[in-house]
Amino acid sequence: MSVLSREIERRRTFAIISHPDAGKTTLTEKFLLYGGAIQSAGSVKGKQSDKHAVSDWMDLEKQRGISITSSVLQFEYDGYCINILDTPGHQDFSEDTYRTLMAADSAVMVIDAAKGIEPQTRKLFKVCAMRDIPIFTFINKLDREARDPFDLLDELEREFGIETYPMNWPIGCGQKFKGVYDREERQILSFDDAHRGRELIHGIKCEITDTEKLDELIGPYQREELVEQVELLDAASAEFDLEAVRHGKLSPVFFGSALNNFGIEPFLEHFLKMTTSPLPRIAEGKNIDPFDENFTAFVFKIQANMNKAHRDRIAFMRICSGKFERGKEYYHVQGNKSFRLSQPQQMMADERAVIDEAYAGDIIGVFDPGIFSIGDTICEKGERVRFEGIPTFAPEHFAMVEQVDSMKRKQFAKGMNQIAQEGAIQIFFEPNSGLERVIVGVVGVLQFEVLEYRLKNEYGCDLRRTNLAYQQIRWIENEGLDPKTLKLSHDTKCVTDFRGKNLLLFTSEWSIRWVLEDNPHLKLAEFSKNEV
Ligand code: G4P
């Protein structure tokens, strides 16, 4: 096997998704801890400002003590090279969170065992399901009082329409949490109070048939309960089907406690076996093989202001095939220009490092002098690959934004366009309105603050923002349909995006249904496919 193949083969690139507070940061940290990439937990990103925060790039981020940006972390574990795409943990997540999922080959969904599915989990799951990527579920916080595990699985199946397969099964919860039963090995991995809070634990193993030892470890009452539940599970659950996992139809489920380091190792081991090396990506209807020697990549995120002194932007790209080499000349397809990347960066556990080479599956960040847009393709000189664009996701919050000082019209237009081009906000226009007021749509409301902050600091413009009551937006898919011919209720508004596509703004899910009933030929989409 060539070096190239070997390097690509051992790569795994996944995103971690969850509702805030389910334990995503803790789990990420523990992955890094087990991979040896960090020495102690608490160094990935701290909520308090005294902790070192990897992704604190913007002042605003620091002021709020939250992470707006989503970062990429790379570490080694058991011969694998793992890329974790972290998604913003705060409620006010942005469209970037969705786009980041476009760069992943699988997702780990963290669920709080006491809460089950929460709104943000639901939204992120939907985006993963759109691409049929494998989804692994980690049910966390078993050291606290938790919901019945059967009930949690049932909820996942019912709400998400996927099958689940518990890889292990919890033995009690809260103070009575004794460990997990590994269904494949038919043995328990026990957890006791001495393990709580310890840095690395490996657990004590015991066969399910070894009644005496089990009684010693978990007590006769919990042993009996476990044996009963295991019988029930074996009889009731679906067959394990790796193909179904790889197509996102069956989610392997793991139970554990990230805070207590319990269940991390078994999770990583199974996860790495079940996931594949980087998956092919589609470019103009053709699959691009990741093992192909020719380098290809696409831009999935643009981050402005990584360094305040330079007002720079960094374009994050996912390498889809071949190997990237620093200093070599590559071709930017959409810009029709060759260029050299002299300072490509990669996020390591707690620093950004300049890298010399990277392989398919890896994420690199490159300085962007304003030439890249989301979805752009980079490839070898002389080639012309064009990856499918990244969809535009429907914003959920809308505001009318105007400049306060009418002398600053130019700066306003420039700033709004630039920030929209980076993908931090979406801008929409009402028919016949001028450029001095636009409708801004965002996925997370924090982006409104980011917009105000950036327009003031970078473009010298103060904004007047009026929040609008719209909550939903849909792209009109019918080609050539004149929106004026539609029957619309008074609270539905027709706008256009910067590509000139027509959209409808709604105040509720209900009004979408009414409009569809009144206009049976109308086709609406929640994502806009982008040709790039
Ligand atoms: P997030 O990134 O998904 O938002 O969640 P995060 O990891 O920050 O975890 C949210 C809270 O839940 C944290 O507590 C964290 O310590 C706790 N937590 C994570 N995993 C477990 C677990 O397995 N068991 C228990 N009992 N708690 C867990 P916090 O008090 O909000 O923050 P901190 O002061 O501990 O950092």
Side-chain angles (χ1 to χ4, degrees), residues 2 37 112 127 130 155 194 208 225 289 314 325 334 351 357 393 437 456 507:
S2 69
D112 183 327
V127 176
M130 184 179 99
E155 182 178 78
I208 185 108
E225 193 181 52
D289 181 2
I314 291 217
E325 289 167 74
Q334 282 72 12
E351 65 197 34
E357 53 185 46
F393 298 94
R437 55 183 239 156
K456 187 168 180 60
T507 49

Side-chain angles (χ1 to χ4, degrees), residues 132-358:
D132 294 331
I133 59 172
I135 298 173
F136 296 81
T137 307
F138 187 89
I139 300 188
N140 192 28
K141 304 198 187 181
L142 264 296
D143 60 313
R144 290 220 188 127
E145 285 312 308
R147 278 173 53 188
D148 175 57
F150 284 109
D151 193 33
L152 286 165
L153 297 186
D154 191 50
E155 182 178 78
L156 285 171
E157 301 205 345
R158 221 173 346 105
E159 278 221 30
F160 291 160
I162 45 162
E163 298 218 62
T164 58
Y165 187 91
M167 300 300 295
N168 57 27
W169 195 253
I171 307 166
C173 66
Q175 284 302 319
K176 292 208 182 89
F177 180 47
K178 297 286 169 59
V180 288
Y181 164 70
D182 185 313
R183 296 185 67 202
E184 194 183 55
E185 300 195 8
R186 301 195 71 76
Q187 60 184 13
I188 73 154
L189 190 59
S190 100
F191 169 84
D192 62 38
D193 278 347
H195 288 135
R196 287 180 199 258
R198 287 256 301 271
E199 287 284 278
L200 294 172
I201 59 162
H202 300 282
I204 305 164
K205 290 184 176 174
C206 171
E207 303 289 322
I208 185 108
T209 45
D210 189 344
T211 309
E212 213 174 299
K213 195 166 170 202
L214 273 185
D215 279 354
E216 216 176 276
L217 289 169
I218 63 175
Y221 176 75
Q222 281 191 282
R223 173 187 48 81
E224 267 173 40
E225 193 181 52
L226 174 69
V227 170
E228 217 169 84
Q229 290 190 336
V230 167
E231 273 171 19
L232 199 64
L233 263 184
D234 289 346
S237 74
E239 286 277 300
F240 181 75
D241 175 353
L242 190 58
E243 272 313 293
V245 173
R246 293 193 171 156
H247 290 95
K249 303 289 176 240
L250 176 78
S251 178
V253 179
F254 300 79
F255 293 85
S257 165
L259 189 67
N260 294 294
N261 297 344
F262 198 79
I264 315 291
E265 259 185 322
F267 175 83
L268 276 174
E269 272 155 29
H270 283 289
F271 172 78
L272 291 168
K273 264 193 264 164
M274 282 188 260
T275 46
T276 57
S277 50
L279 295 173
R281 299 276 165 159
I282 299 170
E284 289 162 308
K286 275 195 312 217
N287 264 344
I288 302 290
D289 181 2
F291 293 90
D292 193 303
E293 280 194 1
N294 288 337
F295 167 85
T296 60
F298 71 87
V299 176
F300 66 93
K301 184 177 115 143
I302 292 174
Q303 176 74 53
N305 286 345
M306 301 276 275
N307 179 341
K308 213 175 158 221
H310 303 291
R311 224 191 244 193
D312 57 356
R313 309 204 306 183
I314 291 217
F316 284 91
M317 41 186 101
R318 143 99 196 202
I319 304 180
C320 299
S321 66
K323 176 185 176 183
F324 166 83
E325 289 167 74
R326 172 146 82 114
K328 189 174 158 182
E329 213 171 3
Y330 291 106
Y331 177 63
H332 172 215
V333 179
Q334 282 72 12
N336 191 19
K337 271 208 178 86
S338 297
F339 67 104
R340 260 178 237 281
L341 296 173
S342 54
Q343 287 229 310
Q345 312 207 347
Q346 204 161 34
M347 288 293 301
M348 303 309 270
D350 48 10
E351 65 197 34
R352 280 198 272 161
V354 173
I355 48 144
D356 292 322
E357 53 185 46

Side-chain angles (χ1 to χ4, degrees), residues 351-368:
E351 65 197 34
R352 280 198 272 161
V354 173
I355 48 144
D356 292 322
E357 53 185 46
Y359 295 88
D362 287 343
I363 310 295
I364 53 173
V366 303
F367 282 110
D368 171 22

Side-chain angles (χ1 to χ4, degrees), residues 17-30 45-48 51 86-90 110 112 138-144 196 256-262:
I17 62 174
S18 77
H19 190 82
D21 266 2
K24 185 171 55 62
T25 311
T26 313
L27 189 65
T28 308
E29 241 167 34
K30 298 306 166 85
K45 62 184 173 195
K47 284 184 183 157
Q48 286 82 33
K51 286 188 194 163
D86 186 18
T87 46
H90 194 268
V110 188
D112 183 327
F138 187 89
I139 300 188
N140 192 28
K141 304 198 187 181
L142 264 296
D143 60 313
R144 290 220 188 127
R196 287 180 199 258
S257 165
L259 189 67
N260 294 294
N261 297 344
F262 198 79

